[in-house]
Amino acid sequence: MAMLYLASASPRRRELLTQIGVPFLTQVVPIDETPQAGESPATYVERLARAKAAAVLSILPERDGAVVLGSDTAVVLDGRILGKPVDRADALATLAALSAREHQVLTAVALISKTRAAARVVTSTVRFKPLSQTQIEAYWATGEPRDKAGSYGIQGLAAVFVSQMQGSYSAVVGLPLCETAELLAEFAIPCWQ
C-alpha cells in the first residue's frame, strides 16, 4: 500500500484524516497563496490544493510509493475570497460582513502520486445569525479568529454564530471526508486502517 503524506500544517486536517482511520505523515512546503487575476474561488482552492501536494511530492526521496494529499479552504462572500485576518480591524470587519448573511465555504482536496493526480472541490453554504459588535469583539478576544480563513472556526467557539449550514461540515472545518475517502480509494488507500 502507498504511503500517504499530508501536505498541511493544519491541526484540523490532521484530526479529520485521523478520524477516518488513515495513517499518514505530515510534510509541508510553503507555496505562494496569492489569488491570480480573474481566478474564481473554486479554481483558486483547487489550484492551491494541487500545488501543495505537488510541492511535497517533489521533495520526497522515495516518490514511487508515495501519495500526497493537499487541501485548501476559502471563505467566500459575494464572490470575494475572505482570507485569514491581517489584524484585529480586518477580523472585526469580516465578522461584521458575515453577520446575518449566507456565505460559501469552498474546500478542495487533491491527491497526487508519481503517476496520477485527482481533485475535488466541495462547496458548502453557511448562514450566520445577526452578531452584535460586543459578540464580535469578544470572539476576537478569544484568539480563535487570528489564523482562520474568514476569521472564524466552525468547529470552535464560532459554532454559536452558525444558524444554518448546507453541505459538508467536515469541508467547512478543512477537509471534506466523504470526497477524501473516495479519492483515497481511487489511489488504493483504504479508510479505517
Side-chain angles (χ1 to χ4, degrees):
M1 186 170 25
M3 182 63 225
L4 181 67
Y5 290 84
L6 174 62
S8 176
S10 165
R12 293 159 296 282
R13 289 194 179 108
R14 288 195 305 267
E15 289 166 7
L16 288 165
L17 206 47
T18 299
Q19 179 182 329
I20 61 172
V22 179
F24 61 92
L25 297 172
T26 302
Q27 181 68 54
V28 181
V29 175
I31 63 162
D32 180 4
E33 297 190 17
T34 307
Q36 296 176 350
E39 188 173 41
S40 74
T43 302
Y44 170 75
V45 293
E46 183 174 342
R47 177 177 61 82
L48 290 187
R50 287 178 181 270
K52 290 173 183 180
V56 168
L57 186 65
S58 73
I59 65 161
L60 295 177
E62 290 294 325
R63 291 184 203 143
D64 288 342
V67 175
V68 182
L69 186 156
S71 186
D72 195 73
T73 300
V75 174
V76 179
L77 181 65
D78 299 329
R80 187 172 60 94
I81 296 170
L82 305 176
K84 296 176 183 176
V86 294
D87 57 21
R88 178 182 183 276
D90 185 34
L92 298 184
T94 296
L95 291 165
L98 295 174
S99 175
R101 302 222 21 226
E102 281 186 351
H103 60 275
Q104 286 67 49
V105 179
L106 284 75
T107 299
V109 58
L111 265 67
I112 295 180
S113 71
K114 186 177 176 183
T115 58
R116 61 186 298 218
R120 305 255 175 95
V121 177
V122 175
T123 302
S124 301
T125 301
V126 178
R127 174 176 278 283
F128 271 20
K129 70 178 186 176
L131 305 178
S132 69
Q133 189 63 29
T134 302
Q135 287 173 309
I136 291 170
E137 289 179 11
Y139 181 54
W140 171 258
T142 69
E144 188 175 271
R146 285 175 171 78
D147 68 338
K148 308 280 190 301
S151 301
Y152 79 95
I154 196 170
Q155 74 286 354
L157 301 171
V160 299
F161 298 159
V162 178
S163 61
Q164 282 185 310
M165 198 202 89
Q166 291 179 303
S168 168
Y169 174 79
S170 65
V172 177
V173 175
L175 190 66
L177 292 181
C178 179
E179 292 78 7
T180 298
E182 291 169 356
L183 285 173
L184 288 168
E186 291 176 21
F187 283 75
I189 300 174
C191 294
W192 311 333
Q193 294 181 42

